[in-house]
Amino acid sequence: MTAMISFCGLCCDECPAFIATKTNDDNKRKETAQIWSKQFNADIKPESVNCEGCLADTGVLFHHCKVCQIRKCGKEKGVVNCGYCKDYPCDKLTEIFRMAPEAKKRLDEGRRRRD
């Protein structure tokens, strides 16, 4: 099975919200809500920790994924992920690459394989 790589290069299959949704695990939702609330200085409720993946056109998305400018741009451009975009890399990715350097590695690797 191929991993679901989000527009920004994060691996949805490794995301706690994605895992909690796929396994219907309320304990994982609670744990993730606590961690993300602290990490992002936000009030995240366990019941909001649900997502079927960034690439989903229908179904459940975590709140951030719904408003993510990177996801919105990728959807508008119709690319598989940002590594497929003619403008890659762009300024929209700077922060995510700082927080998750593995995302850049994934996109770069996918781009090399494609070329």
Side-chain angles (χ1 to χ4, degrees):
M1 185 172 101
T2 305
M4 182 187 296
I5 306 301
S6 68
F7 289 100
C8 67
L10 294 177
C11 184
C12 291
D13 302 303
E14 297 172 2
C15 173
F18 183 86
I19 294 167
T21 303
K22 292 299 177 190
T23 59
N24 195 26
D25 186 339
D26 287 336
N27 288 327
K28 184 75 168 171
R29 287 182 181 101
K30 183 178 178 183
E31 173 189 321
T32 302
Q34 289 173 343
I35 292 168
W36 285 357
S37 290
K38 269 187 177 177
Q39 186 177 2
F40 301 112
N41 194 31
D43 184 22
I44 299 173
K45 304 288 186 216
E47 56 272 14
S48 72
V49 179
N50 290 290
C51 192
E52 293 181 359
C54 174
L55 305 179
D57 287 320
T58 60
V60 179
L61 286 175
F62 184 66
H63 172 73
H64 175 75
C65 299
K66 290 178 187 175
V67 299
C68 176
Q69 292 302 305
I70 297 168
R71 179 179 184 272
K72 179 182 176 191
C73 180
K75 287 281 199 189
E76 287 172 357
K77 291 184 175 184
V79 294
V80 174
N81 62 46
C82 292
Y84 286 77
C85 182
K86 65 178 178 57
D87 299 323
Y88 177 80
C90 74
D91 292 343
K92 288 181 180 78
L93 296 166
T94 303
E95 184 65 17
I96 194 74
F97 288 170
R98 185 187 65 73
M99 292 179 1
E102 71 277 7
K104 182 175 185 342
K105 289 178 188 173
R106 274 190 206 99
L107 293 178
D108 288 347
E109 182 182 312
R111 191 172 181 94
R112 274 192 299 277
R113 275 188 271 136
R114 194 187 55 147
D115 289 340

